[in-house]
Amino acid sequence: MADLSIDFAGIQSPNPFWLASAPPSNSGLQVHRAFEAGWGGAVWKTIGAPVLNVSNRYGAWHYGSQRMLAINNVELISDRPIHVNLREIADVKHHWPDRAVIVSAMVESKPEAWSEIVHRIEDTGADGIELNYGCPHGMSERGMGAAVGQVPEYCEQITRWVMDAARIPVIVKLTPNVTNIAASARAAVSAGANALSLINTLNSITGVDLDTFEIVPSIGGKGGHGGYAGAAVKPIALNMLSSLGTDEIVSRSKVPISGMGGISTWRDAAEFLLLGATSLQVCTAVMHYGFRIIDDLCEGLSNWLDERGFTSIEDIRGKSLSRISDFKDFDLAFRAVARIDSTKCIKCNLCYVACNDTAHQCIDLIDGNGNVVAPYGYDAKSNGRKQAVETRAQPQVREEDCVGCRLCYNVCPVVDCIQMVELPSGRPSITWDELSRSQPAVTEDWEAMERYRAQMGIDIH
């Protein structure tokens, strides 16, 4: 069985799965229960300046029958007194010495305020401190949270204050509400941060009530932007994680990264690890399904590592970063086409509609005699019966016209019914960067581009 234990900036954890700083880690009672369930660590819900929360503070984005694909919140940091949190943190660490206990903190931008909170956290025996530079609502209006994380100079300055005071590892939590997250990461690294974590929540409004015209959720008739998290943000999180893994300055520093943002399954976890994360923080999935999901996370990840012949988390960390590339370095001669497996096709025609209406019109409907027919060119009276499927035309890709956009693959509801098949293009391998340098006119003038396409046999209808 693969070893799931990790060493994160000197912090030991029996597995990489930590509760993120959020409602699930709001109290000692909850963290005790999480550790009993098997979680490897917890980042305590942010402690700091006094706050008051509001009702109706969680919104959510639902799609179809799927509930809470993402959650939106306007909840602030912990509304429990600091001394209560610190007492419970000490108690948890005393009873669970083998688990990672990290304390998230956010106070005013004053060196004395940060020095005080750091020393009080260290007195609990906690393993590390996470600096919350990401909260996009409420606290940012008071000059904290994302108001710090969005300005690299502030991020570096405050991190230096903390590093001057701290004796335990310091993790800087980055906000995704920026144009270039690497700039903030570099600032944290420059200040001496021991580790990074990302992503915090994204600014969002999840909806408007069409009857009352109020923002959802409504807080006494008003609403506003909140922090967006959950499965729907995973692609954004993976992109930002990879941008740090491929950034020359951040990667050279070798600071470990705690990844989060939409982790719901062991598969999600494996993707974050492959893009460079060492520890993994989970929030929305726990809020939806409870602490019990840790069993599936650990078992699934362990089994996958075993099947792939890996013995530890470190064996796969960052293994996919070398596959990250800019568009200019993609092979323009690479060719793939869609191919439909008629034995699996349920003839729903979603691929046909998507291709015909919004892509390259290269899927035909073929009847039993091999003729191309129009949509619904079958016996409508048999609709809903066995004959409906037997007489319904079969979608078929005209591979010579297919540009390999992959839209049909994405809309098909049947697993493995449509495959993207790589075929030889008959053209020499070349990238846009190489083409720009060898034949600049082709990349700057449409007439030259058309001549190049004709020469290379590239026909885009």
Side-chain angles (χ1 to χ4, degrees), residues 1 20 30 44 47 56 75 77 92-93 97 153 164-165 173 225 309 337 341 343 354 367 375 381 384 400 448:
M1 179 179 291
Q30 291 167 283
W44 208 272
I47 63 174
N56 268 10
E75 182 166 287
I77 64 175
V92 167
K93 188 58 192 177
E153 293 79 8
D164 286 342
K173 188 172 187 178
H225 70 87
V337 300
D341 186 340
T343 65
D367 67 14
K381 295 179 182 178
E400 65 274 16

Side-chain angles (χ1 to χ4, degrees), residues 11 36 51-52 70 82 97 118 139 148 226 247 253 271 341 347 349 352 372 424 439 446 453:
I11 301 170
E36 287 169 359
V51 298
L52 281 174
I82 284 185
V118 164
M139 304 309 292
V148 174
D247 182 83
S253 74
E271 292 177 47
D341 186 340
K347 302 178 182 178
N349 289 353
Y352 173 84
V372 176
Q439 301 186 58
W446 265 110
R453 288 181 177 179

Side-chain angles (χ1 to χ4, degrees), residues 282-302:
V282 187
C283 171
T284 307
V286 176
M287 295 179 74
H288 199 163
Y289 300 109
F291 296 135
R292 59 183 177 168
I293 67 170
I294 188 60
D295 290 336
D296 289 338
L297 293 173
C298 287
E299 183 178 350
L301 183 60
S302 179

Side-chain angles (χ1 to χ4, degrees), residues 43-64:
V43 183
W44 208 272
K45 184 171 173 61
T46 306
I47 63 174
V51 298
L52 281 174
N53 275 305
V54 294
S55 295
N56 268 10
R57 55 183 177 265
Y58 300 149
W61 182 60
H62 315 294
Y63 191 78

Side-chain angles (χ1 to χ4, degrees), residues 49-99:
V51 298
L52 281 174
N53 275 305
V54 294
S55 295
N56 268 10
R57 55 183 177 265
Y58 300 149
W61 182 60
H62 315 294
Y63 191 78
S65 61
Q66 213 163 352
R67 303 290 291 178
M68 211 163 88
L69 279 172
I71 193 169
N72 169 283
N73 83 91
V74 294
E75 182 166 287
L76 303 178
I77 64 175
S78 177
D79 52 12
R80 305 164 72 239
I82 284 185
H83 71 273
V84 174
N85 278 300
L86 294 172
R87 184 181 67 236
E88 294 180 5
I89 291 165
D91 178 68
V92 167
K93 188 58 192 177
H94 173 74
H95 285 91
W96 299 94
D98 66 327
R99 307 303 167 92

Side-chain angles (χ1 to χ4, degrees), residues 4-5 7 10 33 40 100 108 146 162 176 215 227 243 252 322-323 361 378 393 398 404 406 425:
L4 296 186
S5 66
D7 180 323
R33 289 179 54 209
E108 291 182 271
V162 174
I215 304 301
S243 73
R252 191 170 62 236
S322 62
R323 307 295 183 99
Q361 302 80 48
Y378 51 85
R398 294 193 316 278
R406 209 170 184 251
S425 67

Side-chain angles (χ1 to χ4, degrees), residues 122-407:
E122 288 181 333
D123 288 344
T124 67
D127 298 296
I129 302 170
E130 184 178 79
L131 310 184
N132 186 343
Y133 294 165
C135 185
H137 54 272
M139 304 309 292
S140 57
E141 298 169 20
R142 296 166 58 178
M144 294 177 267
V148 174
Q150 289 171 331
V151 182
E153 293 79 8
Y154 292 169
C155 177
E156 181 172 352
Q157 180 184 53
I158 294 175
T159 304
R160 286 191 187 280
W161 294 344
V162 174
M163 295 307 298
D164 286 342
R167 300 186 306 274
I168 58 177
V170 174
I171 307 164
V172 172
K173 188 172 187 178
L174 304 173
T175 176
N177 299 298
V178 291
T179 304
N180 179 14
I181 200 166
S184 299
R186 289 176 178 181
V189 168
S190 177
N194 303 109
L196 303 170
S197 62
L198 76 159
I199 60 173
N200 209 312
T201 54
L202 291 140
N203 270 325
S204 67
I205 290 178
T206 51
V208 180
D209 189 305
L210 299 185
D211 293 320
T212 66
F213 308 153
E214 295 175 353
I215 304 301
V216 178
S218 173
I219 303 169
K222 295 183 178 181
H225 70 87
Y228 194 62
V233 311
K234 189 185 86 169
I236 299 169
L238 290 176
N239 175 59
M240 291 190 165
L241 173 62
S242 70
S243 73
L244 298 193
T246 55
D247 182 83
E248 183 179 356
I249 294 175
V250 177
S251 60
R252 191 170 62 236
S253 74
K254 299 190 182 302
V255 297
I257 300 173
S258 186
M260 73 196 89
I263 298 175
S264 304
T265 70
W266 68 264
R267 290 178 178 273
D268 301 330
E271 292 177 47
F272 274 77
L273 294 169
L274 287 167
L275 288 178
T278 297
S279 72
L280 307 164
Q281 297 188 34
V282 187
C283 171
T284 307
V286 176
M287 295 179 74
H288 199 163
Y289 300 109
F291 296 135
R292 59 183 177 168
I293 67 170
I294 188 60
D295 290 336
D296 289 338
L297 293 173
C298 287
E299 183 178 350
L301 183 60
S302 179
N303 288 342
W304 176 74
L305 289 169
D306 290 343
E307 290 169 5
R308 303 292 297 188
F310 298 116
T311 61
S312 69
I313 297 295
E314 198 60 27
D315 287 348
I316 63 163
R317 187 176 63 80
K319 206 170 183 63
S320 291
L321 286 173
S322 62
R323 307 295 183 99
I324 301 291
S325 176
D326 292 329
F327 180 89
K328 65 182 178 64
D329 296 319
F330 292 158
D331 185 359
L332 298 174
F334 171 77
R335 184 182 180 222
V337 300
R339 191 168 290 170
I340 302 170
D341 186 340
S342 60
T343 65
K344 295 179 180 178
C345 179
I346 61 174
K347 302 178 182 178
C348 66
N349 289 353
L350 279 174
C351 60
Y352 173 84
V353 172
C355 183
N356 194 54
D357 287 356
T358 67
H360 285 267
Q361 302 80 48
C362 60
I363 295 180
D364 296 323
L365 297 177
I366 309 297
D367 67 14
N369 297 318
N371 300 314
V372 176
V373 297
Y376 311 112
Y378 51 85
D379 184 4
K381 295 179 182 178
S382 67
N383 205 7
R385 305 176 189 172
K386 180 181 178 183
Q387 299 96 300
V389 174
E390 292 180 344
T391 62
R392 187 171 294 172
Q394 171 67 50
Q396 183 175 299
V397 178
R398 294 193 316 278
E399 294 187 4
E400 65 274 16
D401 292 329
C402 179
V403 301
C405 72
R406 209 170 184 251
L407 178 60

